Amino acid sequence: MTLAFPLGSVGHSLTLMRGVWHDHIETFNLDGTPLPHDPWAGAPGDSPFDNLVYIDFDGENYQQTNVTFRGRPFHARSFTAKYKDGKLYFDKLGPEAPQHIGISGGVGILWFLSENNTDEPLSRYSEPDCITLDGYDRRTRMTALYRNGVAVRTLTAKGVRVASTCERRVDFDPRGADGPVHDVRSVTKVYMKENG
């Protein structure tokens, strides 16, 4: 399916990102030294680790499922969003979560972040993502994580496209080859007061 969006728009970049990616992920202390265990993430664990990232976009509906398959225990998380008025609006990520959006940073560059930086739950957890596409088959995702209003670590994911569509699970998906690609939408509690 070919979707027509202006060059550099959110819709254009989402169209380019469709498919399945193998991301190799590393976490770092703020001084750049490797962080072998990340205690602050929404899903804490060791680093480096590897995810499969399934991305579907039909021009309006966006679905993403991350499946950890190496370096950390198996974990799957799914997100959904709608594209409207030139932005991507994520469905609520969990209790007390602010509205998250996807915006453009130019051709092949997406930002996933909160729409309003004054929302009180962001003082407990904030992790803006910047994703850049390098040609057809490579991408980089970088984040900075804030806990209780303080920057605590960075993360870099280097991805390679392993399938151009999400019609089926890839052979090395730890969930097995059969079954739906996307799971039930995940809910996080990192924005709640008692978890801050």
Side-chain angles (χ1 to χ4, degrees):
M1 160 186 18
T2 302
L3 303 174
F5 292 100
L7 187 68
S9 68
V10 172
H12 180 257
S13 292
L14 292 173
T15 301
L16 295 176
M17 278 203 317
R18 290 182 301 183
V20 186
W21 298 84
H22 170 186
D23 280 0
H24 180 71
I25 302 159
E26 296 178 277
T27 57
F28 300 92
N29 292 299
L30 299 182
D31 65 2
T33 56
L35 180 64
H37 181 79
D38 177 9
W40 300 291
D46 293 339
S47 174
F49 64 102
D50 291 72
N51 274 351
L52 289 170
V53 183
Y54 292 85
I55 297 175
D56 271 327
F57 178 61
D58 66 6
E60 179 184 4
N61 301 293
Y62 177 88
Q63 287 183 286
Q64 176 178 326
T65 296
N66 300 343
V67 181
T68 302
F69 71 94
R70 188 182 320 155
R72 289 187 181 183
F74 164 78
H75 185 69
R77 293 180 302 161
S78 293
F79 309 93
T80 55
K82 292 261 188 212
Y83 180 73
K84 62 182 181 180
D85 301 326
K87 297 179 201 164
L88 188 67
Y89 289 85
F90 284 89
D91 293 321
K92 194 165 176 120
L93 299 177
E96 300 182 41
Q99 176 65 60
H100 283 82
I101 59 174
I103 59 174
S104 177
V107 177
I109 303 171
L110 285 173
W111 282 90
F112 292 166
L113 41 76
S114 62
E115 184 174 42
N116 184 341
N117 206 31
T118 61
D119 288 338
E120 191 260 339
L122 291 171
S123 67
R124 291 187 283 280
Y125 186 96
S126 178
E127 190 173 17
D129 285 355
C130 182
I131 303 162
T132 59
L133 296 166
D134 181 13
Y136 172 77
D137 63 351
R138 298 199 178 276
R139 71 178 205 150
T140 302
R141 179 173 68 92
M142 294 172 288
T143 75
L145 176 60
Y146 293 80
R147 281 296 207 160
N148 299 314
V150 176
V152 292
R153 67 106 169 105
T154 62
L155 176 152
T156 299
K158 294 187 178 176
V160 176
R161 191 189 310 264
V162 293
S164 59
T165 70
C166 290
E167 293 175 359
R168 58 182 289 279
R169 295 177 183 177
V170 295
D171 294 339
F172 57 103
D173 189 317
R175 300 174 296 173
D178 297 325
V181 167
H182 298 290
D183 289 335
V184 175
R185 187 168 59 86
S186 302
V187 174
T188 181
K189 296 182 179 179
V190 294
Y191 296 99
M192 295 176 66
K193 245 175 218 174
E194 59 266 29
N195 288 306

